[in-house]
Amino acid sequence: MSHRTRASSEPELTFSDREQRDLAIAWVTLSVAFALIFAPVHRGEAVGLFLTMVVLSLVTVGVAFLLHEIAHKVVAVEFGQVAEFRADYQMLFLALMGALVGFLFAAPGAVYHRGRITQRENGLISLAGPVTNLLLALLFLPLMVFPTYLGTIGQMGVGINIVLAAFNMIPFGPLDGKSVLKWHKGVFALVFVPSVLLAAIIIFYVGLF
């Protein structure tokens, strides 16, 4: 997700110490929460399986989240914005607590950007995250043919990236879809419709989750 704030000038693509810390904490926390859903060690699941799932989540769920947010930042900076990710520690805590009872809803934070901007530029900044996830899904897809951990990484990578793209394209509240729809209905439909259809197939028919 991306959020707009007040104006500034002379932006550049840098990552402050706080931003790096927030990205790292959000990356690890989401990965652990996801692992708790699929290998609930607190309910008697083997510790080894849980740790394996944490590692798998770091390179799938974590990467999906990380590159989604960085994409927002890169495009925002290209449009002359000052942009920085801020973790939402309350939501990260809720993600962990929810995972412990078998439910995961994650809103780990957002890229906040400021500076003069047009509606089109704001829409493109918002669009960058979901599109990045769709491209990542394509990159993970070939790994699904392997019968080993590579196949599992491919399956998780495709599933989480498509679901994340579809979720963020919902035109509601702070989600990316709202800004994209406000800018261009055609572009919104072009990304939203296939993302939602693919996510539905993955969840209800293919069973990647």
Side-chain angles (χ1 to χ4, degrees):
M1 291 180 287
S2 67
H3 295 287
R4 181 182 170 189
T5 58
R6 65 182 185 277
S8 186
S9 60
E10 298 183 2
E12 57 183 80
L13 186 59
T14 58
F15 294 85
S16 67
D17 290 342
R18 178 180 176 182
E19 184 176 24
Q20 293 178 52
R21 182 193 66 206
D22 277 13
L23 284 167
I25 291 173
W27 182 11
V28 172
T29 303
L30 282 182
S31 300
V32 171
F34 196 90
L36 285 171
I37 292 289
F38 288 91
V41 66
H42 57 294
R43 295 182 179 176
E45 195 66 71
V47 174
L49 178 60
F50 169 71
L51 293 176
T52 298
M53 186 56 67
V54 170
V55 173
L56 292 175
S57 296
L58 284 169
V59 297
T60 54
V61 179
V63 167
F65 149 75
L66 191 67
L67 294 186
H68 176 106
E69 298 300 339
I70 290 176
H72 284 315
K73 180 184 176 80
V74 168
V75 177
V77 170
E78 281 295 311
F79 289 138
Q81 300 282 285
V82 175
E84 190 154 327
F85 176 79
R86 285 289 179 266
D88 187 328
Y89 287 96
Q90 288 184 332
M91 292 305 297
L92 288 172
F93 176 76
L94 288 176
L96 285 176
M97 294 301 101
L100 289 174
V101 298
F103 175 78
L104 180 58
F105 177 80
V111 170
Y112 293 86
H113 54 94
R114 62 184 185 270
R116 290 188 176 182
I117 195 170
T118 66
Q119 190 175 83
R120 172 182 173 274
E121 290 169 344
N122 196 46
L124 288 171
I125 291 170
S126 295
L127 188 64
V131 168
T132 295
N133 289 128
L134 293 175
L135 293 175
L136 282 171
L138 287 176
L139 291 177
F140 277 108
L141 186 61
L143 297 180
M144 292 180 63
V145 302
F146 294 96
T148 59
Y149 281 123
L150 282 178
T152 302
I153 289 172
Q155 177 176 307
M156 291 175 62
V158 169
I160 191 62
N161 275 289
I162 290 177
V163 170
L164 189 59
F167 175 75
N168 276 281
M169 282 301 295
I170 295 172
F172 178 78
L175 297 176
D176 299 321
K178 187 175 181 179
S179 295
V180 178
L181 179 62
K182 187 176 180 181
W183 159 54
H184 199 295
K185 293 180 176 61
V187 173
F188 169 81
L190 187 64
V191 178
F192 177 73
V193 173
S195 296
V196 170
L197 289 177
L198 287 171
I201 291 170
I202 285 170
I203 294 172
F204 298 110
Y205 294 99
V206 179
L208 287 184
F209 287 106

